[in-house]
Amino acid sequence: MLSIYLLIPLSLMLFVVAIWAIWYAVKSNQFEDLDNAPEQIILDDRQERRKLHKQLK
């Protein structure tokens, strides 16, 4: 019974932190472009290699 007095406040604090983290992620536009973000990493890499290739010629 004594452990419940510790676990309930801890779980409530964890819940509040999780809600804050989700709210912060939404407000900072981290979910704005979910479709093109993985592709952008590949495209950026290709553009850098093309620039490097042109400089070497």
Side-chain angles (χ1 to χ4, degrees), residues 46-57:
R46 286 182 183 167
Q47 290 172 357
E48 289 179 17
R49 281 191 279 158
R50 287 180 185 153
K51 287 179 186 177
L52 181 63
H53 186 67
K54 287 181 182 178
Q55 289 175 354
L56 293 176
K57 282 187 175 183

Side-chain angles (χ1 to χ4, degrees), residues 7-35:
L7 291 176
I8 289 176
L10 283 176
S11 65
L12 290 174
M13 286 179 15
L14 183 62
F15 177 73
V16 169
V17 168
I19 294 297
W20 177 81
I22 291 171
W23 177 79
Y24 178 76
V26 169
K27 289 295 182 184
S28 64
N29 295 327
Q30 293 185 18
F31 298 115
E32 189 170 299
D33 189 14
L34 295 176
D35 294 332

Side-chain angles (χ1 to χ4, degrees), residues 1-6:
M1 186 68 179
L2 186 61
S3 63
I4 287 183
Y5 293 126
L6 177 67

